[in-house]
Amino acid sequence: MAQTVAISPLTRIEGHLAIHTEVEPDGSTGRFKITQARCEGEMFRGIETILQGRDPLDAQQITQRICGVCPISHGLASCMAQETAYGIRPTRNGRIAQNLIFAANYLQSHILHFYHLAALDFVDITAVLNYNGNDPTLSALRNWVQNALDKNLAFPGAPFLPRYEVKQYLNSDESNWKLINSYVQALQIRRLAHEMAAVFGAKLPHSTSLVPTGVTGEITIERVLAYKARLAQITEFVQSVYLPDLLTAAAAFGHYWDIGRSYGNFLSYGAFRMEENTGENLLNFFPSGVIIGGRFQPLDTQKIREYVENSRYSSPSNLHPWDGQTKPAPSKGYSWLKAPRYDNQVMEVGPLARVMVTYLGPGNDARKKEIEDTLSSLSVPVEKMNSVLGRHLARGLEARWLAAQCVRWLNELELDQPAAADFSLPRQGRGVGLTEAPRGALGHWLTIQNYKIEHYQCIVPTTWNCSPRDDQGRAGAVEKALEGTVLEDPAQPIEAGRIVRSFDPCIACAVH
């Protein structure tokens, strides 16, 4: 007999998400299989409506407030939408400075996700109670955890000390100690990444320097050196800590190469402009493209539509974002997310999508070889990338690629040259800004009339990944990844939590 298993709220993600699943006994194994899943975004924000009637230059500041984790992505998408609408292009310094701010935010986000959101699904933090060495960090944590246990804070299921009766953690104290120590190091590394972004971004998490065509600050040797010093420390952490820890987790939980498989359709808009241009199909460091049925095809944004049959909106279904509407209907559907589709297909977006587009698309031979070499070292075929571990590995690869590319961008800056261009606002116009937030494909569509914003629509990464069923009843990418999963214990569905967190949902973005 089927039973309902709910994770509400799902912790260690950004925003308010509930997962409801139907499970049935899985033969004679005594375990249970998820037969149906629903992702339920549980709040409404209405930022697209707030933007209507405002000065277009407000947009890159207001849209950054969609998210405190990936604000730079929204700021840049808005700047690019405005550039297209105004008929202007970024300066060389402006493009590079934006890339450097963006890359710092990416690095912070990927490290945040692995260590501070996902790792506690794999690491037994109570293993630190057995530590008797001389490391001051682990000794202090041992005392902290013991104090939490003494005060009954850790059980049952406090978000900072998750516990499962089924043995689901790294199986040696030494491995747990290593990742716990890395967890603490990562806090400082994330702070350095924020400081690095603020060198050209003025402040973080919401940068005040982003403008169409570039940034408002000057490019000076002091800023270049300040960024470079922090980058060196972050690069060392990525190389010597983050990537080895990923491989440790992959070795210990090898069956997660077979868990969390979605449809295998991937979408990337491309990110990090490599040319002074704006609009669609740019030359980007992370390329644009689409994978459907294992085959690459160029991106065509005219094929994007949003559906609302199971969403809490009264807007018409099957609308392109140029025509999109935001009309809340609280009593309708089961989620505040819409259901975007590309060419009538359910798509996954994010690091895995970008890596698969890189791997299956034209060019990028050096990165393709790195993907193959890494998978070969793990004895894993590329087909297994569509999995929980594949998503984690994709973030690690991206972090390494971006850290190395930042050195090149720093060397390309032209000291004391303009980092933005003068421009004037048109009476009317429309523009699109396409980029890749750390979590995936991000698009802003803007229409201007009488110097004011007439229409603004965003489709964000988690709207793609955590969408509800569309008008044809097809599950979203995360829902699909959950279905078919076998649970050891429905009372403690850690497998479901690991799958959802591998997508790194940002529900505040998705319900913008």
Side-chain angles (χ1 to χ4, degrees), residues 258-276:
D258 298 306
I259 292 176
R261 184 177 182 85
S262 189
Y263 292 94
N265 298 330
F266 301 107
L267 168 69
S268 170
Y269 289 155
F272 298 97
R273 290 185 281 186
M274 302 295 282
E275 60 180 338
E276 283 72 65

Side-chain angles (χ1 to χ4, degrees), residues 214-441:
V215 298
T216 57
E218 297 180 354
I219 306 301
T220 65
I221 188 63
E222 292 81 9
R223 285 179 170 160
V224 171
L225 293 175
Y227 191 103
K228 186 176 289 187
R230 290 165 174 82
L231 176 62
Q233 295 180 66
I234 294 169
T235 301
E236 173 64 21
F237 180 85
V238 169
Q239 289 285 87
S240 64
V241 181
Y242 180 20
L243 285 166
D245 284 348
L246 274 174
L247 298 182
T248 296
F253 297 90
H255 56 297
Y256 274 84
W257 290 110
D258 298 306
I259 292 176
R261 184 177 182 85
S262 189
Y263 292 94
N265 298 330
F266 301 107
L267 168 69
S268 170
Y269 289 155
F272 298 97
R273 290 185 281 186
M274 302 295 282
E275 60 180 338
E276 283 72 65
N277 209 339
T278 196
E280 302 184 36
N281 297 311
L282 304 176
L283 178 63
N284 286 301
F285 182 69
F286 290 156
S288 65
V290 177
I291 307 294
I292 296 177
R295 302 176 72 96
F296 174 87
Q297 55 184 262
L299 173 70
D300 179 1
T301 61
Q302 294 306 308
K303 295 180 177 180
I304 296 171
R305 295 292 186 275
E306 284 190 297
Y307 298 88
V308 297
E309 175 68 23
N310 289 293
S311 305
R312 291 173 175 158
Y313 296 95
S314 61
S315 323
S317 254
N318 195 23
L319 294 181
H320 187 275
W322 284 125
D323 304 311
Q325 299 177 20
T326 306
K327 297 180 178 179
S331 60
K332 175 178 172 288
Y334 66 84
S335 177
W336 283 106
L337 280 67
K338 296 180 183 178
R341 300 291 183 258
Y342 180 91
D343 200 15
N344 203 33
Q345 298 292 318
V346 183
M347 310 300 291
E348 177 176 341
V349 302
L352 176 58
R354 291 190 292 267
V355 166
M356 295 309 296
V357 166
T358 297
Y359 185 76
L360 295 175
N364 303 298
D365 291 342
R367 274 180 262 175
K368 288 179 182 178
K369 185 176 187 307
E370 188 172 344
I371 295 166
E372 290 175 344
D373 289 348
T374 303
L375 290 172
S376 177
S377 72
L378 296 165
S379 300
V380 172
V382 70
E383 293 78 16
K384 300 273 188 175
M385 285 292 286
N386 184 7
S387 63
V388 168
L389 289 180
R391 295 182 189 100
H392 286 297
L393 178 61
R395 289 185 184 88
L397 291 171
E398 285 194 334
R400 180 157 62 189
W401 296 338
L402 275 176
Q405 181 61 28
C406 282
V407 175
R408 303 184 189 102
W409 282 325
L410 285 170
N411 292 334
E412 292 171 5
L413 287 169
E414 299 173 340
L415 298 179
D416 302 317
Q417 294 299 308
D422 292 333
F423 58 86
S424 57
L425 271 63
R427 174 180 287 275
Q428 60 186 32
R430 74 176 194 170
V432 59
L434 303 176
T435 191
E436 286 283 313
R439 290 157 185 80

Side-chain angles (χ1 to χ4, degrees), residues 114-115 123 170 175-183 245 248:
F114 181 69
Y115 286 106
V123 176
L170 292 169
S175 295
N176 282 295
W177 296 341
K178 182 178 182 297
L179 265 77
I180 291 167
N181 210 334
S182 299
Y183 177 106
D245 284 348
T248 296

Side-chain angles (χ1 to χ4, degrees), residues 116-127:
H116 304 134
L117 301 180
L120 292 179
D121 282 337
F122 300 95
V123 176
D124 182 1
I125 195 170
T126 61

Side-chain angles (χ1 to χ4, degrees), residues 159-196:
F160 54 89
L161 280 178
R163 292 298 303 162
Y164 304 95
E165 295 304 320
V166 177
K167 185 60 179 174
Q168 292 277 13
Y169 299 110
L170 292 169
N171 60 11
S172 76
D173 282 348
E174 289 78 8
S175 295
N176 282 295
W177 296 341
K178 182 178 182 297
L179 265 77
I180 291 167
N181 210 334
S182 299
Y183 177 106
V184 177
Q185 289 182 59
L187 293 169
Q188 174 63 15
I189 294 299
R190 286 178 51 211
R191 176 178 174 177
L192 285 174
H194 272 311
E195 292 175 356
M196 195 165 74

